[in-house]
Amino acid sequence: MGSLIRSTASLGMLAASARQGLSVRNSYALHRKYHASGTLKSAESSQSASQIINNADTFIMKAYSRPDIVLSHGKGSYVYDTNNNEYLDFTAGIAVVALGHGNANVAAVVADQATKLVHCSNLYHNIWAPKLAHDIVTATTEAYPQGTQGIYAKGSDGASGPRMFFTNSGTEANEGALKFARKYGKHVAESGSLGKSTSEALRGDPNLKCGIVSFTGGFHGRSMGALSVTANPKYQKPFAPLIPGVTTAEFNRTSELGAFVDERTCAVIVEPIQGEGGINAANVEFLQALRRRCDQVGALLIYDEIQCGIGRSGKLWAHQKYPSDCSPDIVTMAKPLANGIPIGAIMVSDKVANVISVGDHGTTFGGNPLACRVGCTVFGQIKEPAFLSNVETAGKALDQKLKQALAPYIGKIVVDIRGTGLLRGIQFSSDPSKIVGLAREKGLLLVGAGKNTIRLVPPLNTPVSDIKKGAAIIAECVKELAPEWN
């Protein structure tokens, strides 16, 4: 109880200092000084790592495989464990902590908003959800003036554009997108806009236009709908049967789209750059063909940009690296939007928004003022051209350093080095888990992906010096393990 009171006091102090005109950096420094002085201590700080891990094993379901370290705090692109070991973090909470750990601006905003209004539900308006929606929509359209299709298309009034729905996570964003697509499919079926014979059949039973197409290598979440469009037997098999009406096509194979995407399809969901699947970018021709085919059959094109969006690629959205005739009808987002505070969102085109009515979808926590205010702060920094340019620069430095350091192993142990911005992957000839483990021992955190790939997703503001340091550690690990590589 005493530690709770002290934590609350510290939070209030940080918020008060921000309100009284101290800079967020100074107010955060005051909080850290208060913490370091020993005034703010929790019961957990006296526990050993082994005790904490034992408690986790005893009381938390065994859904994760974790190393025997306990992280306690972080700053910038580094995290620290309870034994004060330092790790350069190339995972960023799996592409979440875009502005780095212990970010002073984020901390001050959280503290200030926590003393005002954390949650009020969607029974009422709050200040911050409309502002974040405005900021995302405005920045998206301004960053891609050539866009005219999908979310960039003007509404029937010639002015309105995309609209937002806020959720708690990426999985929930994808679930919402699939729901919206199902309703839109009924709308198209009932409108009779697909040719006489098809329209007559669908109008007779609008539920027939319910098919959803996803692709090999994609990852869209673990709830039942999102899992159903995640074509990985490892994730799907234990929970079969999944939702009906989902088919899986080959990623980047244009020739078979006509057979999979037909008049009964209501949506196609794809990651422009696959993350979990192994950092695989969609071909321009593939996305162009998807856009054309969706238009032909009255289906929605959904881009899952939960990992590759919001600056990770060096553009605001990964799809903005592609021509305008690849534009989506729906974009889902989450991971970096609030730097680790749970939030997700769905951006839909005007034509989709117009078929969704009051009561069609809802959420208790989505759009809460705390998450949305933090989202305004984080997104406000990431959307700036100078910030995105720095991501491009850091990404190129990482690519160059990796290709230089790993040159002796490319075509042998290393199959490929690929990616864009600070979404990079190193594909190996076999399972690279030993490299991940050895890198951790050397003070670098990495995360795996499909196709024997190590995923590199550091905070977006990681200094180039740390980018090069991480690449050098990876090269050391490959060199040490090369003699025993199968």
Side-chain angles (χ1 to χ4, degrees):
M1 183 65 179
S3 63
L4 176 61
I5 293 170
R6 287 189 291 272
S7 296
T8 305
S10 177
L11 187 66
M13 177 195 65
L14 178 53
S17 62
R19 289 195 298 271
Q20 290 168 7
L22 289 176
S23 70
V24 287
R25 184 171 299 277
N26 287 340
S27 62
Y28 184 65
L30 184 61
H31 170 72
R32 292 191 67 191
K33 180 179 180 181
Y34 185 71
H35 190 289
S37 70
T39 306
L40 179 63
K41 289 186 177 180
S42 64
E44 289 80 1
S45 65
S46 62
Q47 288 185 304
S48 67
S50 61
Q51 288 174 315
I52 294 169
I53 292 168
N54 182 64
N55 275 343
D57 291 341
T58 303
F59 299 109
I60 297 178
M61 291 178 66
K62 293 175 174 58
Y64 304 103
S65 175
R66 300 180 176 106
D68 289 338
I69 61 172
V70 177
L71 300 182
S72 59
H73 61 288
K75 189 62 182 171
S77 40
Y78 289 86
V79 291
Y80 303 84
D81 67 20
T82 51
N83 293 320
N84 291 320
N85 295 308
E86 181 182 81
Y87 303 90
L88 177 57
D89 187 6
F90 267 33
T91 71
I94 315 183
V96 169
V97 190
L99 301 186
H101 300 280
N103 183 277
N105 289 329
V106 171
V109 166
V110 170
D112 186 56
Q113 189 62 36
T115 66
K116 292 178 177 177
L117 186 66
V118 171
H119 176 74
C120 60
S121 86
N122 287 293
L123 294 172
Y124 311 99
H125 293 290
N126 71 70
I127 296 170
W128 296 101
K131 177 170 173 29
L132 181 56
H134 166 272
D135 290 354
I136 293 172
V137 167
T138 302
T140 297
T141 54
E142 288 180 350
Y144 201 68
Q146 64 269 43
T148 58
Q149 300 184 59
I151 59 172
Y152 301 99
K154 297 297 183 184
S156 56
D157 60 2
S160 58
R163 278 173 265 178
M164 304 293 298
F165 185 96
F166 290 110
T167 69
N168 312 302
S169 68
T171 295
E172 289 165 289
N174 282 336
E175 289 283 348
L178 297 177
K179 281 184 66 178
F180 297 162
R182 280 278 174 91
K183 186 171 186 191
Y184 182 82
K186 293 178 190 291
H187 167 75
V188 172
E190 291 166 349
S191 70
S193 59
L194 293 177
K196 185 174 181 181
S197 60
T198 300
S199 294
E200 288 176 353
L202 291 178
R203 271 192 295 204
D205 185 1
N207 289 331
L208 292 175
K209 192 167 179 61
C210 66
I212 299 167
V213 177
S214 61
F215 296 93
T216 55
F219 182 88
H220 304 289
R222 296 177 187 262
S223 56
M224 289 303 287
L227 181 62
S228 298
V229 295
T230 296
N232 187 327
K234 178 177 71 173
Y235 299 138
Q236 289 187 333
K237 187 176 179 180
F239 305 102
L242 303 172
I243 67 169
V246 176
T247 55
T248 302
E250 191 73 25
F251 184 68
N252 268 338
R253 185 175 295 174
T254 303
S255 59
E256 62 183 30
L257 291 180
F260 282 89
V261 184
D262 60 24
E263 287 79 4
R264 295 192 179 194
T265 303
C266 71
V268 172
I269 185 168
V270 66
E271 296 165 271
I273 306 172
Q274 294 181 336
E276 169 80 14
I279 317 301
N280 311 303
N283 298 330
V284 171
E285 298 78 11
F286 177 67
L287 294 186
Q288 288 173 325
L290 276 180
R291 177 70 275 170
R292 284 195 304 271
R293 186 58 178 161
C294 286
D295 289 341
Q296 290 168 359
V297 301
L300 296 178
L301 180 56
I302 302 170
Y303 282 172
D304 177 342
E305 294 224 26
I306 290 163
Q307 184 160 171
C308 63
I310 312 183
R312 179 60 58 181
S313 70
K315 296 289 186 182
L316 185 58
W317 301 106
H319 75 261
Q320 292 181 339
K321 285 181 167 283
Y322 292 84
S324 60
D325 56 355
C326 300
S327 299
D329 299 298
I330 298 178
V331 177
T332 58
M333 65 197 78
K335 285 180 179 288
L337 184 53
N339 211 57
I341 300 296
I343 191 173
I346 313 163
M347 180 164 47
V348 305
S349 66
D350 182 77
K351 72 178 183 181
V352 177
N354 285 336
V355 305
I356 303 302
S357 303
V358 172
D360 279 345
H361 197 45
T363 169
T364 297
F365 294 104
N368 71 75
L370 176 65
C372 288
R373 183 175 174 188
V374 177
C376 288
T377 297
V378 175
F379 188 83
Q381 184 169 340
I382 293 175
K383 72 180 178 65
E384 291 299 323
F387 186 95
L388 294 170
S389 177
N390 287 339
V391 174
E392 289 268 23
T393 298
K396 289 175 182 177
L398 178 57
D399 184 64
Q400 182 179 28
K401 181 68 175 178
L402 286 172
K403 288 178 176 176
Q404 179 185 33
L406 296 177
Y409 309 101
I410 295 175
K412 302 170 186 176
I413 294 173
V414 177
V415 175
D416 193 18
I417 300 170
R418 55 180 175 263
T420 185
L422 287 175
L423 178 59
R424 301 281 170 172
I426 310 170
Q427 183 178 355
F428 292 86
S429 59
S430 59
D431 180 11
S433 57
K434 287 186 177 180
I435 292 176
V436 174
L438 182 58
R440 186 171 61 250
E441 292 176 12
K442 293 177 178 290
L444 174 68
L445 299 184
L446 302 171
V447 61
K451 297 183 178 178
N452 295 321
T453 300
I454 289 177
R455 194 175 357 172
L456 310 177
V457 284
L460 298 182
N461 57 357
T462 300
V464 170
S465 58
D466 284 340
I467 291 292
K468 292 180 178 180
K469 176 182 175 181
I473 293 173
I474 293 169
E476 287 178 23
C477 295
V478 172
K479 182 177 180 180
E480 286 186 30
L481 292 172
E484 59 185 79
W485 203 268
N486 293 326

